[in-house]
Amino acid sequence: RRQSPARGLAMTTVDVSRVAVFPNPALLGAELNLEIDYQCATPIQNARWVVTYTVDMTATKTVLHLGTTEPRTCESGATNFLKFHCDAIDVAGVKQSALHNVSVLTASLVDDGGGELAKVVCVTQVTKTGEGLTRNVISLLE
């Protein structure tokens, strides 16, 4: 449960009830589909989801922007759905040694002013397999 100021006027509560990532596991650079079911205590106008993949090494952090959804109204009292797709996670330019590590897939629900209303963080374990670097996204709701 996340409570944040919505447009500086009131507190908005966002409850996330389901997170699904597929295909999972998959090659690191493969397509990514993310679905999130969530409920809002109050309506949120012009809300967007911002999805990133963060390669996190002790000394450096590389944030890859995977995409942003179109603005929409999140209805209160009903289940809202995020269905996000990106064709690939482009890791070109990121050191190979940094990729073989634990990373983070993040989806942030933001209002029209860019204020964060909710954040879903999924740890991503990357391992070397015979096919290449393979990601396994772990949802905290599973």
Side-chain angles (χ1 to χ4, degrees):
R1 178 175 281 214
R2 173 74 188 222
Q3 293 185 340
S4 300
R7 298 157 85 27
L9 301 174
M11 293 298 284
T12 298
T13 300
V14 177
D15 286 316
V16 174
S17 56
R18 185 181 78 92
V19 176
V21 178
F22 54 94
N24 193 46
L27 290 176
L28 177 58
E31 74 171 309
L32 176 81
N33 296 284
L34 173 63
E35 295 182 355
I36 299 175
D37 298 357
Y38 60 102
Q39 298 79 34
C40 301
T42 59
I44 306 168
Q45 302 293 321
N46 298 315
R48 299 176 319 282
W49 284 93
V50 178
V51 181
T52 60
Y53 183 79
T54 304
V55 178
D56 193 357
M57 293 293 290
T58 304
T60 63
K61 193 179 282 192
T62 303
V63 179
L64 305 172
H65 180 78
L66 302 182
T68 302
T69 64
E70 291 295 319
R72 60 166 297 193
T73 297
C74 298
E75 302 295 337
S76 64
T79 300
N80 297 277
F81 304 97
L82 164 67
K83 291 187 185 282
F84 175 83
H85 169 82
C86 70
D87 292 332
I89 297 178
D90 183 5
V91 293
V94 180
K95 287 184 179 180
Q96 191 77 7
S97 60
L99 296 173
H100 186 223
N101 201 348
V102 175
S103 298
V104 178
L105 175 67
T106 304
S108 299
L109 180 65
V110 297
D111 62 20
D112 59 354
E116 186 175 274
L117 302 172
K119 181 184 281 189
V120 175
V121 177
C122 299
V123 173
T124 305
Q125 179 66 51
V126 179
T127 56
K128 192 171 189 175
T129 65
E131 297 176 336
L133 292 178
T134 300
R135 68 175 189 247
N136 186 22
V137 180
I138 304 161
S139 165
L140 298 178
L141 294 179
E142 293 178 350

